[in-house]
Amino acid sequence: FSHSISVIDTATNTVTATIPIEGRSPQPRAIAINPAGTRAYVVNLNAQSISVIDTSTNTVSATIAISTNASSNRSVAVGPDGTRVYLGNGAVIDAASNTVISQGSLDGHALALNRDGSRLYAATGFFNAMQVLDTTTMSVLGTTPLAGFALDIAYVDDSPVTPQTGWYWNPAEGGRGFFLEQQDQFLFMAGFHYDTPGNAIWFVGQGPTSNSSFASPMYMFQNGQTLTGAYVAPQAASSPGNLVLDFLTPATTRMTW
């Protein structure tokens, strides 16, 4: 075992960083990334711990000891809002404080969450079964027998997500916001933020939604009417690029451009 985490550039398929996991033979077993892409959670089977990696610096920012049912901790999953981290042994971690807030007796070789994070599905390996848990109480809602040893699991939900209209923002990044308005399958979006010199700017995008996603050029305008001045027709400015929204839940959206 290398006892480290490799970071790969998907554009070139090359390793760009190697992150060592400290400890005596920690044996990293599984990894999960939070929805914002800012934290990675690594299960260290032998070390009986979770390493929290800051993806902006590719360094371990915290280590969380797992003391209860640690030998069954082989997997990890992060909730859709990034506030909870679920472990294969049934424990739950609060992502804000990096502390274990509840223990469990699960033996999950692999985990998957449904879209809104209300259900946790666990492949229980040696027990040849899949268990479904309520993430609010971490109680088992049902068990499905399987034909053999289950090492992995995936949850697929192809039903479309209808986003909530209103304001969206990242609580960790104050000073900018995005507004969504949807009528039927047509969506209008406006973004308010700043350019590199610090000037307040805004952009808009519009178009149809498709399969829980939205794509549009970002349109920007300048030299238009002031708050109290006479009307002046605005001029189109250079577009900063195309915008893509993926609606993960009705209230959670991933934005890329």
Side-chain angles (χ1 to χ4, degrees), residues 57-131:
T57 60
N58 288 330
T59 57
V60 175
S61 60
T63 301
I64 307 168
I66 305 299
S67 57
T68 302
N69 195 26
S71 62
S72 295
N73 188 31
R74 301 179 180 89
S75 54
V76 59
V78 184
D81 61 1
T83 62
R84 295 289 185 267
V85 181
Y86 302 92
L87 304 182
N89 66 348
V92 181
I93 293 173
D94 175 68
S97 61
N98 287 328
T99 56
V100 178
I101 56 176
S102 68
Q103 303 287 354
S105 59
L106 190 64
D107 189 14
H109 280 246
L111 301 176
L113 287 157
N114 68 344
R115 179 180 284 167
D116 64 8
S118 63
R119 297 292 182 267
L120 179 68
Y121 299 85
T124 58
F126 294 109
F127 295 98
N128 299 341
M130 180 196 72
Q131 289 186 319

Side-chain angles (χ1 to χ4, degrees), residues 66-236:
I66 305 299
S67 57
T68 302
N69 195 26
S71 62
S72 295
N73 188 31
R74 301 179 180 89
S75 54
V76 59
V78 184
D81 61 1
T83 62
R84 295 289 185 267
V85 181
Y86 302 92
L87 304 182
N89 66 348
V92 181
I93 293 173
D94 175 68
S97 61
N98 287 328
T99 56
V100 178
I101 56 176
S102 68
Q103 303 287 354
S105 59
L106 190 64
D107 189 14
H109 280 246
L111 301 176
L113 287 157
N114 68 344
R115 179 180 284 167
D116 64 8
S118 63
R119 297 292 182 267
L120 179 68
Y121 299 85
T124 58
F126 294 109
F127 295 98
N128 299 341
M130 180 196 72
Q131 289 186 319
V132 185
L133 291 85
D134 182 330
T135 56
T136 301
T137 62
M138 290 303 290
S139 57
V140 177
L141 300 177
T143 300
T144 302
L146 302 175
F149 192 87
L151 283 176
D152 211 342
I153 190 171
Y155 179 89
V156 177
D157 185 348
D158 57 2
S159 59
V161 174
T162 300
Q164 293 181 5
T165 59
W167 286 99
Y168 285 71
W169 68 93
N170 184 341
E173 299 178 0
R176 66 177 181 178
F178 306 91
F179 183 80
L180 300 184
E181 178 65 33
Q182 183 172 1
Q183 296 292 333
D184 297 324
Q185 298 302 310
F186 192 87
L187 185 139
F188 173 84
M189 175 184 181
F192 300 86
H193 51 106
Y194 300 88
D195 61 13
T196 301
N199 301 307
I201 60 174
W202 56 273
F203 70 86
V204 297
Q206 59 184 356
T209 59
S210 176
N211 296 326
S212 303
S213 67
F214 165 77
S216 170
M218 292 187 287
Y219 300 102
M220 297 184 63
F221 300 89
Q222 60 188 8
N223 301 326
Q225 185 178 11
T226 62
L227 179 62
T228 59
Y231 176 74
V232 178
Q235 301 172 354

